[in-house]
Amino acid sequence: MVSISHAPTLEFQSRKSMEEDIIKSLKDGNVRMIAICGAGGVGKTTMVRRIEDRVRKEFDEVVTVVVSQQTDKTKIQNQIAEILRLGLSEKTLDGRAHKLRTRLMDSKKKLIIFDDVWKSFEPEDIGVPYGGCKIILTSRLKDVCEEMEADKVIEVQVLDKKEAWTLFREKSGDSVDDLYLRPIAEEVVAECKGLPIALATVGKALKNRSIKTWKDALLQLRGANPTNFPQVLENVYMPLKLSYDFLETESEKSLFLLCCLFPEDDDIRIEDLALLSFGLGTFEGINNIEDGRNRTYHLLERLRSRFLLMTGRNEEEVKMHDVVRDVAIFIGSKEKKGFLNVCSMDSSRNCNWMSVEISNIANANFPVGLDFSNLRLLMILNSTYSEFPEGFDVHVICLKGMEELTVLYFSNQNFQSLPSSLEFLKKLRKLHLENCEVKDISIVGVLASLEILRVWRCDEIEELPANVGELKFLKLLELRDCEKLKRIVAGVISSLVGLEELKIVGCFNKWEAKGNVSEERNASLSELESLSNLTCLEIDIFDPNLLAQEILLSKQIRRYRIRAYEDRYLFDAFKAVKKHERRIALHLPRDVTVGNWIRGLGKNTQSLELIGDGSNDFNLGEIESLRELVFKNCSTVEKLMNASDWKFPMLEHLELRELGELEEIIDGTIPEGSNSFQNLEYVVVEDLLKLGYLWKSPNQNVSLVNLKLIYIRHCPNLRYLFSMATARSLVQLLSLEISFCDTIEQVLWNEMESNTEASIIEFPNLNTLRLFYLPNLLAFTQGVETIKFPQLIELEIEDCPKLRTQIDQCPTGMIERLLVRNRDTIEEIFRDDGNRHIIFQELYELALGDLPCLTTFYRGVESIKFPKLKMLTIENLPRLNSFVPIDSEATHDQNSLHFFCNKKINGKDIEMKDLNGGIHHFKSTKQNANEDENKDENNEDEKHEDKKQIEGEENIESSNNNRM
């Protein structure tokens, strides 16, 4: 074996933790294969080389093989054999594999690295035995890692801003620190968006170049057209283009290119992509919108697994890395010979898709009268809300030469009516209007081929034109948040017999009752009976009395969102923790009845929100698929559910508010072996004045293995939350907050107080604990001396004067915020855990106040350090002498609290700046009656103490460290 040393690379914190995790896994006997995946150029190979160098001494033999796209098994065998100095004369793949396997199964410890894997393969087939070797593979395809059944998959992300600048500066040289060059260099780095290959390539190419070259490079990077920047084309664009070329279907490639039409850094709604694709006819053999949407989700998941796309702000959005977007634009405009035109308006007549920003229409030079005979998609955007160029009139947009156009998308436009030339678009299948000031859309009635009409947040529209009812091929009608829309002519909706999806949300509050024959008739809910093809229904009903009607809905409805309320802001908080396909939110006053059509939908709903005294009549026992339940503001409900009727074990989110008569959630004992609440993740209980407990004890039969968050507020009769038996199941609990519960004495009811096994409680994943205004809280549980929070990040305890429980084995390396106020009996916050020198590695805020018995912060230690502390508040601690014992003589260094905390402070506010610019506020008020009585006698002593304090301040502020 020949030891290969790689060139030293910069070490980044974001990479270091991953490397440590991989090295640790290599020592784990249960881990056979580790996969490192990420986008092209993100640094996978660099990472695996660093790991190779670090672990080489721990393995007798290390073999690295570059697999590449073809996955030639014979070639892989030859590479391994060559490194092992093993001759392979066998003719067959199996024969060669047997010889390799025999060699690799000897007593030596081996690491095999497969770099750049594009297709799944079985290592055993080429002679690499799982049992005899550790395997690491790198791939830009996550699904390949999963198909190869890697025991551990590590995803490598882009660098953060600080790391990106460090790498770029290392490659481009010290000249970037020049006063004139630095601003341009920072813009260049911003264009690279943390992608290591881009940062390194661009940095090397610009090293020692003139400022004019830097400016030109920035222009090319922004324009996604680095034709005069060959290093970027070769080292950045081509590797990423390879990921595109490797996509298996044209549908995937089309969807990928579609994403680059949206503005840079945009969070792209998956629904937009699905409907754009459907309008373009991207998916062969798919004729209905629901199937097209499902296909879109599937393909986007594949694109994400190849790191060509990222998840956006939520699971319903995707995002494109800026460099990847530039490559997509380059592919569409250059490689596909003008297929795509993004960013600017020019006379490129051959493009199929065009996306243009209003801000780029300079001097109203929108191409007028040109022959765009191939154009099928046109997006006119205004993401920056720019003013229209002077003299620009949307009506000069001549669509006559765009007869092949199938998709037209307007966003953030201030025109009041649509272009009259819209009438020439005989093949238009999709029209999207969003945030447009348009008032009149009557021209859409002439678009005979229209299948999708979406109108979003167009606040000037007052009426849906009657001729919309003539669109016989319309499959989707969506009117969302058009606040002035008050009129939908009766008969329009019932005329759209081909409609598959109807969404009228946040607008139109004039649904009429069935059988109304007034002259100015509006649409009625009974018109829904004509829509036999309807699969999706989303409507708002502003009059809950309309719920009593009986409507025969299409049996094909699979997705729905029904809201009924008098006040449109009542359900502003109606935001599911997870977006469910079937949701109902009803405001039901006491005298409102609910028709069978609502009850029928309710039986299959996934998310249900009920408000009002009439909610008690809604039969929860009929629902089997419920995942989210919000029940509030009902004065008639005493028990939410009978244990014998419990039929929604899939429940994930439970929220109960303002139920003044509710005494218990479940009436009766849940049967033993029940799976009730096993999927529950989120519990909110607020303003339940009579609630005595969440679940009965001792025989609760409740396992909360997936519960992550508990929020309890203003339940004055609540005695405790859980039994000890239930508490042991809280292995996933992340956050616990209890406030304004006057009666609660213990969080957990200890049914085995005499059992020594109950002397320790551990919440293994709890990271946030907040206890506020609990006047009678004595302890987490009686008879338990030790409570462990190994993952605690944030701890707040305020106005819990009787709480005696101490915190043992605090995770000093993780905790970030610690606030303790008004605990009358506590003498120390933490106890000695055997470690004499404590470092609160991540703590940035510490507040202690109104603790009359507190004498020390951490008893039994010699030194405490807070390297990241930004805010420190100390108030009304009359017995506090020091954070650590006053006789401690540990060496003081720049982060030690000894300097400040071994001195008493009387009635002074000290403001002190630290190295990082943080400001610490210290306030300690000595409340001592004797001092008050002798204030005049001790005046001189106070002046002397003031002088000492001022001198202390001056010493502190003059130091270049973080002493306190």
Side-chain angles (χ1 to χ4, degrees):
M1 298 294 295
V2 179
S3 177
I4 302 173
S5 61
H6 301 292
T9 58
L10 292 172
E11 185 175 64
F12 299 114
Q13 188 60 41
S14 63
R15 302 309 201 241
K16 185 177 180 181
S17 58
M18 294 181 191
E19 290 177 17
E20 297 297 337
D21 190 16
I22 293 169
I23 291 172
K24 181 180 178 182
S25 298
L26 287 173
K27 299 176 182 179
D28 187 342
N30 296 319
V31 177
R32 302 171 304 170
M33 182 187 295
I34 303 168
I36 303 172
C37 61
V42 81
K44 302 180 295 296
T45 299
T46 300
M47 177 179 288
V48 82
R49 285 176 177 173
R50 286 178 58 89
I51 292 169
E52 180 183 348
D53 286 340
R54 290 182 61 183
V55 304
R56 185 171 290 278
K57 293 181 180 179
E58 299 179 23
F59 290 89
D60 299 309
E61 294 176 331
V62 178
V63 178
T64 298
V65 180
V66 179
V67 179
S68 72
Q69 296 93 334
Q70 301 306 318
T71 316
D72 187 332
K73 294 181 179 180
T74 300
K75 184 178 178 180
I76 295 172
Q77 288 177 329
N78 289 337
Q79 289 185 66
I80 297 174
E82 183 178 354
I83 296 173
L84 296 176
R85 298 178 182 175
L86 176 68
L88 289 179
S89 57
E90 289 73 11
K91 300 294 185 182
T92 65
L93 185 69
D94 289 342
R96 295 153 62 87
H98 176 73
K99 190 169 185 178
L100 266 179
R101 190 179 300 109
T102 302
R103 170 66 174 82
L104 292 172
M105 285 294 288
D106 61 23
S107 59
K108 294 181 179 180
K109 190 176 181 182
K110 301 172 188 66
L111 172 63
I112 309 295
I113 299 172
F114 295 115
D115 192 20
D116 197 25
V117 178
W118 288 76
K119 292 182 180 179
S120 174
F121 67 95
E122 180 58 59
E124 290 275 2
D125 291 347
I126 60 174
V128 177
Y130 275 121
C133 306
K134 292 284 186 178
I135 299 174
I136 296 178
L137 67 90
T138 73
S139 178
R140 61 178 74 182
L141 311 175
K142 187 177 180 181
D143 49 0
V144 166
C145 302
E146 294 168 348
E147 289 170 13
M148 292 186 67
E149 299 181 346
D151 299 298
K152 193 175 192 67
V153 178
I154 304 289
E155 291 188 28
V156 184
Q157 306 295 336
V158 296
L159 301 174
D160 62 31
K161 291 182 179 179
K162 184 177 180 181
E163 292 173 338
W165 175 258
T166 300
L167 175 59
F168 185 80
R169 187 179 182 278
E170 196 261 345
K171 299 298 181 183
S172 59
D174 298 342
S175 62
V176 295
D177 294 328
D178 181 82
L179 180 63
Y180 299 102
L181 187 56
R182 178 71 181 250
I184 299 173
E186 289 178 347
E187 291 187 67
V188 170
V189 171
E191 287 298 315
C192 295
K193 294 291 181 176
L195 190 66
I197 188 65
L199 291 160
T201 300
V202 175
K204 288 178 183 178
L206 293 175
K207 188 173 183 177
N208 299 323
R209 296 299 185 95
S210 69
I211 192 170
K212 295 185 184 298
T213 301
W214 279 79
K215 290 180 178 180
D216 182 62
L218 179 59
L219 182 65
Q220 292 187 58
L221 289 172
R222 284 177 171 169
N225 186 25
T227 51
N228 298 316
F229 211 164
Q231 299 96 327
V232 173
L233 279 175
E234 180 180 355
N235 297 326
V236 181
Y237 277 41
M238 289 304 111
L240 290 172
K241 181 180 177 297
L242 192 60
S243 294
Y244 168 84
D245 292 337
F246 208 75
L247 294 175
E248 296 174 1
T249 66
E250 288 301 317
S251 295
E252 284 178 284
K253 292 179 178 180
S254 177
L255 192 57
F256 171 71
L257 294 179
L258 199 58
C259 291
C260 78
L261 296 177
F262 290 86
E264 189 173 86
D265 290 324
D266 215 18
D267 288 285
I268 307 166
R269 295 186 295 256
I270 296 178
E271 183 74 357
D272 279 352
L273 295 173
L275 297 180
L276 286 172
S277 297
F278 186 84
L280 289 167
T282 300
F283 308 132
E284 187 177 351
I286 288 182
N287 298 312
N288 66 70
I289 292 174
E290 180 67 15
D291 290 344
R293 184 180 290 111
N294 293 336
R295 178 67 57 83
T296 302
Y297 272 87
H298 168 68
L299 295 180
L300 288 176
E301 190 59 39
R302 291 176 62 84
L303 290 172
R304 275 189 287 218
S305 74
R306 286 156 169 75
F307 301 96
L308 290 171
L309 291 178
M310 304 177 290
T311 301
R313 290 171 298 185
N314 56 58
E315 62 183 14
E316 300 301 318
E317 295 175 337
V318 294
K319 196 168 185 176
M320 209 171 209
H321 188 283
D322 286 0
V323 176
V324 176
R325 179 176 180 270
D326 290 344
V327 173
I329 294 172
F330 178 81
I331 292 170
S333 58
K334 297 296 187 293
E335 294 291 325
K336 297 192 73 173
K337 302 186 185 304
F339 171 83
L340 181 139
N341 185 351
V342 182
C343 301
S344 64
M345 290 302 305
D346 57 36
S347 57
S348 176
R349 304 186 183 190
N350 295 322
C351 67
N352 293 75
W353 298 352
M354 182 182 292
S355 174
V356 62
E357 286 267 0
I358 285 295
S359 57
N360 293 323
I361 305 179
N363 301 317
N365 287 331
F366 194 103
V368 177
L370 293 180
D371 180 13
F372 284 86
S373 57
N374 293 325
L375 194 64
R376 301 185 62 234
L377 181 152
L378 174 61
M379 297 175 66
I380 301 181
L381 311 174
N382 190 9
S383 61
T384 57
Y385 295 90
S386 301
E387 292 292 331
F388 278 75
E390 186 177 353
F392 177 77
D393 183 354
V394 72
H395 297 93
V396 306
I397 300 177
C398 183
L399 303 174
K400 186 176 181 180
M402 305 179 185
E403 284 86 353
E404 295 298 316
L405 203 66
T406 60
V407 174
L408 183 58
Y409 188 111
F410 289 107
S411 174
N412 301 319
Q413 309 300 317
N414 63 1
F415 49 76
Q416 294 190 353
S417 61
L418 294 172
S420 57
S421 56
L422 200 68
E423 64 181 340
F424 295 108
L425 305 182
K426 302 302 182 183
K427 295 183 179 180
L428 194 70
R429 298 178 64 193
K430 179 182 188 297
L431 175 62
H432 180 105
L433 305 174
E434 182 172 354
N435 279 334
C436 297
E437 296 184 8
V438 60
K439 293 182 178 180
D440 181 9
I441 61 170
S442 57
I443 195 171
V444 301
V446 304
L447 301 174
S449 298
L450 199 65
E451 296 181 3
I452 298 173
L453 175 60
R454 301 181 81 197
V455 184
W456 277 44
R457 294 189 291 276
C458 296
D459 292 338
E460 298 302 317
I461 294 178
E462 298 180 359
E463 178 177 338
L464 183 69
N467 61 0
V468 169
E470 299 174 12
L471 302 175
K472 301 304 180 184
F473 294 100
L474 199 66
K475 296 178 182 290
L476 184 151
L477 173 62
E478 182 170 3
L479 308 171
R480 189 177 297 272
D481 297 325
C482 301
E483 293 190 354
K484 291 186 180 180
L485 180 64
K486 304 297 182 185
R487 179 159 172 75
I488 298 178
V489 178
V492 171
I493 292 177
S494 57
S495 299
L496 302 173
V497 292
L499 210 61
E500 297 175 6
E501 302 190 4
L502 175 64
K503 303 176 183 182
I504 305 177
V505 179
C507 54
F508 184 60
N509 60 358
K510 300 293 184 180
W511 289 104
E512 294 201 9
K514 191 174 184 179
N516 193 321
V517 293
S518 62
E519 287 187 14
E520 295 295 324
R521 285 183 59 206
N522 252 322
S524 67
L525 293 175
S526 61
E527 292 189 45
L528 301 177
E529 295 180 335
S530 301
L531 309 181
S532 59
N533 295 313
L534 203 64
T535 62
C536 174
L537 176 64
E538 295 187 17
I539 55 173
D540 286 354
I541 302 170
F542 286 75
D543 182 2
N545 290 299
L546 295 177
L547 297 175
Q549 299 184 60
E550 293 302 338
I551 303 170
L552 295 176
L553 293 177
S554 165
K555 295 182 179 180
Q556 298 186 57
I557 292 181
R558 295 186 291 271
R559 298 167 57 239
Y560 49 84
R561 182 177 184 262
I562 311 296
R563 300 194 303 181
Y565 49 86
E566 294 175 342
D567 181 355
R568 67 164 297 175
Y569 299 105
L570 190 63
F571 286 102
D572 271 358
F574 184 65
K575 295 178 181 178
V577 175
K578 297 180 180 178
K579 188 171 182 179
H580 302 295
E581 291 187 339
R582 302 187 297 277
R583 295 184 284 170
I584 295 177
L586 306 176
H587 176 213
L588 300 175
R590 190 185 296 266
D591 56 346
V592 168
T593 58
V594 177
N596 289 327
W597 70 284
I598 285 288
R599 294 186 184 277
L601 294 176
K603 290 180 181 180
N604 293 309
T605 190
Q606 296 168 312
S607 176
L608 176 64
E609 182 168 0
L610 297 173
I611 299 178
D613 288 347
S615 303
N616 200 24
D617 293 332
F618 206 94
N619 189 356
L620 297 178
E622 296 179 343
I623 308 173
E624 297 184 0
S625 58
L626 197 63
R627 296 187 176 184
E628 178 182 44
L629 174 61
V630 178
F631 202 131
K632 57 186 179 182
N633 196 18
C634 179
S635 62
T636 60
V637 59
E638 296 180 0
K639 297 175 176 61
L640 196 65
M641 175 69 68
N642 292 320
S644 59
D645 294 335
W646 183 261
K647 292 184 180 179
F648 36 95
M650 300 170 67
L651 193 68
E652 299 169 349
H653 176 136
L654 177 63
E655 189 172 334
L656 307 174
R657 300 178 189 265
E658 299 179 65
L659 307 176
E661 297 298 317
L662 188 70
E663 297 177 357
E664 53 188 299
I665 297 175
I666 301 296
D667 182 20
T669 300
I670 296 173
E672 188 173 355
S674 170
N675 60 353
S676 297
F677 301 110
Q678 284 194 1
N679 289 303
L680 195 63
E681 297 180 3
Y682 184 94
V683 174
V684 175
V685 175
E686 184 174 12
D687 291 320
L688 273 57
L689 304 184
K690 292 188 177 182
L691 187 71
Y693 37 74
L694 297 182
W695 289 279
K696 281 185 177 180
S697 295
N699 185 26
Q700 294 187 341
N701 292 326
V702 174
S703 177
L704 303 172
V705 292
N706 285 300
L707 192 61
K708 294 179 174 62
L709 181 146
I710 308 172
Y711 176 87
I712 310 291
R713 188 179 188 274
H714 197 210
C715 298
N717 281 302
L718 189 66
R719 297 173 55 201
Y720 53 81
L721 295 191
F722 310 109
S723 72
M724 286 286 290
T726 300
R728 292 191 188 93
S729 69
L730 298 173
V731 293
Q732 298 294 329
L733 187 63
L734 300 176
S735 179
L736 171 61
E737 180 172 332
I738 312 172
S739 62
F740 297 98
C741 296
D742 297 344
T743 307
I744 191 169
E745 296 182 358
Q746 50 187 330
V747 178
L748 308 179
W749 179 71
N750 186 359
E751 68 272 35
M752 299 180 295
E753 289 188 28
S754 60
N755 192 329
T756 57
E757 293 181 358
S759 62
I760 298 177
I761 298 176
E762 182 171 356
F763 294 87
N765 287 296
L766 192 74
N767 58 47
T768 302
L769 174 61
R770 298 188 180 100
L771 305 173
F772 300 141
Y773 307 104
L774 308 174
N776 289 297
L777 183 67
L778 300 174
F780 259 74
T781 182
Q782 300 288 356
V784 176
E785 297 180 356
T786 303
I787 302 175
K788 297 180 180 179
F789 304 102
Q791 302 293 323
L792 198 64
I793 293 176
E794 184 172 342
L795 172 64
E796 295 186 48
I797 302 176
E798 185 166 353
D799 280 300
C800 302
K802 296 182 181 180
L803 183 60
R804 297 191 300 267
T805 303
Q806 308 301 315
I807 299 170
D808 296 273
Q809 297 186 14
C810 174
T812 55
M814 298 184 62
I815 195 163
E816 297 175 1
R817 297 183 72 240
L818 175 60
L819 295 86
V820 183
R821 298 184 180 93
N822 193 12
R823 290 178 62 186
D824 292 350
T825 60
I826 188 171
E827 296 181 3
E828 70 268 346
I829 305 297
F830 300 110
R831 301 175 180 172
D832 175 20
D833 62 356
N835 187 357
R836 293 293 179 180
H837 304 282
I838 304 298
I839 302 178
F840 283 82
Q841 195 66 49
E842 301 296 328
L843 192 72
Y844 68 86
E845 181 179 2
L846 173 60
L848 304 174
D850 296 312
L851 306 173
C853 296
L854 189 74
T855 59
T856 187
F857 175 72
Y858 209 134
R859 187 175 301 282
V861 300
E862 294 180 4
S863 69
I864 309 176
K865 297 180 181 179
F866 299 81
K868 294 187 178 180
L869 194 65
K870 293 286 183 183
M871 293 174 285
L872 173 61
T873 303
I874 298 177
E875 183 175 9
N876 194 16
L877 312 178
R879 298 182 62 187
L880 179 67
N881 291 320
S882 64
F883 268 50
V884 296
I886 200 74
D887 56 355
S888 175
E889 298 298 336
T891 302
H892 304 163
D893 62 21
Q894 64 177 5
N895 292 318
S896 175
L897 276 176
H898 282 272
F899 181 82
F900 168 71
C901 292
N902 279 348
K903 297 177 175 62
K904 295 182 180 179
I905 294 184
N906 299 306
K908 299 296 175 185
D909 291 340
I910 299 176
E911 183 178 279
M912 178 174 62
K913 295 183 179 180
D914 66 8
L915 252 183
N916 298 320
I919 296 178
H920 306 284
H921 296 281
F922 300 87
K923 182 184 289 186
S924 179
T925 304
K926 186 78 172 181
Q927 294 182 343
N928 190 308
N930 293 331
E931 287 184 357
D932 293 337
E933 292 173 3
N934 298 310
K935 180 182 279 188
D936 294 336
E937 296 177 12
N938 294 333
N939 190 47
E940 291 299 317
D941 291 336
E942 288 187 359
K943 289 180 180 179
H944 180 66
E945 187 68 18
D946 289 348
K947 182 179 179 181
K948 287 172 62 179
Q949 287 298 330
I950 293 171
E951 291 173 350
E953 279 189 66
E954 292 173 347
N955 290 335
I956 292 168
E957 292 182 356
S958 64
S959 64
N960 289 326
N961 53 45
N962 193 24
R963 288 182 184 169
M964 287 171 279

